[in-house]
C-alpha cells in the first residue's frame, strides 16, 4: 500500500530557546528536519511527503528540499497555531490516491528505517496505531496545589511518540469534527479516541526522542555519533 507522510514542522521551538525554529539546528552538520525527511525519502513504502512549516520558514524549507533532492516531497505548506491545525492542513495536501497516512514530528530525527518498517509491519491490520514506550519513572496525578491524588500502575502507561499511522478517512473525519467543536488533543490519536475509534499501541524506541530542550540536542548528537561508530 502506498503511504503518505505528514511532517508537522511549524512550531516555534520555544522550549529550545534558540530564537528560531529548532528544526534548523544542526545534528552532525545537517538540520534536524533534513534528518527527518531523509528517512522517509529513503523508505520504499513511502510515496509522498508533505512538510508543514511556519510561514516565515517556508522558503528555507523549500531550499533544503531542493538542495537535498527530496523528490517525494509533494507539498510544503503553511501550518497553523497548534500542531493539530498543522497536521489537519497537511493531510489535505496529500494526493487523493493516498489512503494510509503516517504523521511524524519534524523534531524526531532519530527514527531509523528499521524501526519505521517494523512499525509498518506491526500496525498493518489496524486502522489507527501509534508508537509508545514504557515509562522509567513512576507517574503521579496531582491537583493544582501539588497534592498527590493517585499513582496509576506503571504497566498501564506509555509515553507516546510518533510515527502514528491512520486510515486516511478516519483521520480526516476526526480532525474535521474536532475543528468543528474546537476540541484540541495533544496528539492525533487523541482525536480518534475522542471519536470512539480504536487505537492500537505498539512498542516504540528509546532512541526516538523528540528534540525539545537543549539537553535533547546533546543526546541526539551522541546517539547519531554512536550509530556512525
Ligand atoms: N508543530 C507544528 N505546528 C505547530 C506547533 C508544533 O507543526 N503549531 C510541530 C513542531 O514543529 C514539532 C512537532 O509539532 O515538529 C512537535 O511539537 P513540539 O516539540 O512542541 O515543537 P515546538 O512547538 O516547535 O516546540 P515548543 O513547544 O517548545 O515551542
Ligand atoms: Mg509545541
Amino acid at each position: 500500500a502506498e503511504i503518505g507522510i505528514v511532517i508537522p514542522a511549524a512550531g516555534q521551538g520555544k522550549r529550545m530557546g534558540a530564537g528560531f525554529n529548532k528544526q534548523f539546528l544542526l545534528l552532525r552538520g545537517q538540520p534536524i528536519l533534513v534528518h527527518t525527511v531523509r528517512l522517509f525519502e529513503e523508505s520504499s513504502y513511502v510515496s509522498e511527503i508533505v512538510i508543514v512549516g511556519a510561514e516565515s520558514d517556508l522558503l528555507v524549507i523549500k531550499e533544503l528540499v531542493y538542495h537535498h533532492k527530496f523528490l517525494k516531497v509533494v507539498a510544503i505548506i503553511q501550518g497553523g497555531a497548534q500542531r493539530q491545525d498543522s497536521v489537519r492542513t497537511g493531510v489535505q495536501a496529500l494526493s487523493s490516491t493516498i489512503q494510509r497516512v503516517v504523521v511524524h514530528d519534524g523534531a524526531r530525527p532519530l527514527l531509523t528505517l528499521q524501526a519505521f518498517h517494523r512499525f509498518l509491519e506491526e500496525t498493518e491490520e489496524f486502522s489507527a496505531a501509534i508508537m509508545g514506550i514504557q515509562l522509567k519513572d513512576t507517574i503521579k496525578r496531582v491537583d493544582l496545589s501539588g497534592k498527590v491524588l493517585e499513582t496509576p500502575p506503571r504497566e498501564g502507561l506509555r509515553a507516546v511518540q510518533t510515527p502514528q499511522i491512520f486510515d486516511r478517512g478516519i483521520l480526516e473525519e476526526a480532525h474535521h469534527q474536532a475543528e468543528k467543536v474546537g476540541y484540541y488533543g495533544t496528539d492525533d490519536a487523541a482525536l480518534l479516541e475522542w471519536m470512539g475509534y480504536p487505537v492500537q499501541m505498539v512498542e516504540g524506541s528509546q532512541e526516538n526522542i523528540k528534540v525539545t530542550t537543549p539537553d535533547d540536542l546533546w543526546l541526539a548528537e551522541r546517539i547519531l555519533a554512536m550509530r556512525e561508530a
Side-chain angles (χ1 to χ4, degrees):
E2 298 207 324
I3 290 171
I5 309 289
V6 174
I7 301 179
Q12 292 183 279
K14 288 209 182 104
R15 284 169 288 179
M16 184 61 76
F20 53 91
N21 186 343
K22 63 187 178 185
Q23 289 166 96
F24 299 132
L25 288 167
L26 304 184
L27 280 180
R28 307 249 98 195
Q30 298 288 348
I32 286 174
L33 185 61
V34 167
H35 287 275
T36 306
V37 178
R38 173 169 292 123
L39 171 98
F40 298 112
E41 179 75 25
E42 288 176 354
S43 169
S44 54
Y45 296 99
V46 172
S47 49
E48 287 186 8
I49 302 168
V50 170
I51 304 173
V52 190
E55 185 178 18
S56 55
D57 291 338
L58 290 179
L59 205 64
V60 179
I61 295 173
K62 280 176 190 165
E63 280 168 4
L64 285 175
V65 166
Y66 181 79
H67 176 79
H68 291 277
K69 302 188 170 63
F70 291 142
L71 301 175
K72 290 181 184 173
V73 175
V74 293
I76 297 162
I77 57 171
Q78 191 180 324
Q82 306 275 335
R83 181 184 180 281
Q84 186 174 320
D85 303 312
S86 299
V87 173
R88 185 183 61 248
T89 317
V91 176
Q92 291 167 0
L94 290 165
S95 301
S96 57
T97 52
I98 299 285
Q99 290 307 318
R100 194 90 165 145
V101 179
V102 167
V103 180
H104 185 68
D105 293 323
R108 287 190 197 267
L110 296 181
L111 182 68
T112 61
L113 211 51
Q114 191 187 9
F116 176 53
H117 288 173
R118 182 172 46 94
F119 175 72
L120 292 181
E121 274 167 35
E122 289 176 355
T123 59
E124 223 167 16
E125 62 185 292
F126 302 104
S127 55
I130 65 180
M131 256 192 185
I133 55 175
Q134 313 256 352
L135 294 155
K136 294 179 187 172
D137 296 315
T138 294
I139 303 292
K140 292 189 190 287
R141 268 191 358 98
V142 295
D143 69 12
L144 291 174
S145 78
K147 182 186 174 215
V148 173
L149 300 174
E150 62 166 346
T151 309
R154 213 163 51 190
E155 314 81 67
L157 296 170
R158 295 290 183 277
V160 173
Q161 306 178 328
T162 66
Q164 302 195 343
I165 189 164
F166 307 95
D167 283 348
R168 182 182 186 157
I170 54 172
L171 180 63
E172 285 186 326
E173 186 194 351
H175 269 284
H176 177 72
Q177 294 299 336
E179 188 196 12
K180 242 171 52 180
V181 304
Y183 174 80
Y184 279 91
T186 48
D187 70 348
D188 299 289
L191 307 183
L192 276 76
E193 296 156 34
W194 171 74
M195 296 273 295
Y197 287 122
V199 175
Q200 180 67 30
M201 176 74 71
V202 303
E203 191 64 27
S205 136
Q206 293 286 348
E207 290 188 2
N208 181 25
I209 61 167
K210 182 160 67 64
V211 180
T212 307
T213 52
D215 56 310
D216 293 324
L217 202 62
W218 175 86
L219 178 59
E221 190 80 43
R222 292 298 302 254
I223 292 170
L224 285 176
M226 214 174 59
R227 286 181 189 167
E228 281 174 27

